[in-house]
Amino acid sequence: LIYFIPEEIMFLRKLIIELSTYISIASVFWFFSDIYMASSFLCGAGVSYFSNAYSAYILLVYKAKSLKEEARRFYIAEFGKWSIAVTLFALIFLYVNVTEPLIFFGAFIFSNFITIFFTKLQSSK
């Protein structure tokens, strides 16, 4: 049997809500505009989503025994987050035809704000 602690359940819930938000917004873009705008939005939001999910997972899963170890984990999570973001940016611009770069970067910034909003909302409860 697998037992989930409340933080893991909240983490998974937050990820599912964020992902459904991005898919809903991309569907609206696709309905009112075209598939290229929707795919640019999904690519930009995906970069932020995966890098933030990695960072949150690293910070959530491993419990630190000291403050020094906690700070070390934070730096590892942030380095991994930005490494994943840079790698995904490079791979997307190399292999995916992003026809709407403003939508792509706007979605990246928007999804970071959404992550901050859900994190603040979760911490206020």
Side-chain angles (χ1 to χ4, degrees):
L1 245 107
I2 298 174
Y3 295 100
F4 290 106
I5 57 175
E7 292 120 10
E8 291 173 343
I9 292 171
M10 293 303 291
F11 171 69
L12 291 174
R13 182 175 165 234
K14 183 180 92 62
L15 287 179
I16 290 169
I17 290 171
E18 282 184 32
L19 189 60
S20 62
T21 302
Y22 303 145
I23 290 172
S24 300
I25 292 171
S27 299
V28 168
F29 277 145
W30 187 9
F31 184 74
F32 287 112
S33 184
D34 60 355
I35 189 70
Y36 301 112
M37 187 177 284
S39 65
S40 295
F41 179 84
L42 277 179
C43 286
V47 170
S48 174
Y49 178 79
F50 288 121
S51 62
N52 287 330
Y54 170 80
S55 177
Y57 177 76
I58 292 297
L59 290 174
L60 179 68
V61 168
Y62 303 108
K63 298 297 178 191
K65 296 177 179 133
S66 68
L67 188 59
K68 184 177 180 180
E69 192 176 320
E70 184 75 28
R72 184 177 161 271
R73 255 195 24 239
F74 175 76
Y75 285 121
I76 289 170
E78 283 299 308
F79 178 76
K81 171 184 166 179
W82 290 109
S83 298
I84 289 171
V86 167
T87 303
L88 287 176
F89 273 123
L91 289 174
I92 285 173
F93 280 117
L94 282 175
Y95 296 112
V96 178
N97 185 14
V98 178
T99 57
E100 301 286 340
L102 289 177
I103 298 293
F104 176 79
F105 288 113
F108 177 76
I109 293 167
F110 171 75
S111 59
N112 278 314
F113 283 132
I114 290 290
T115 300
I116 292 169
F117 172 75
F118 279 124
T119 304
K120 292 291 182 188
L121 185 68
Q122 181 180 353
S123 67
S124 67
K125 289 184 178 180

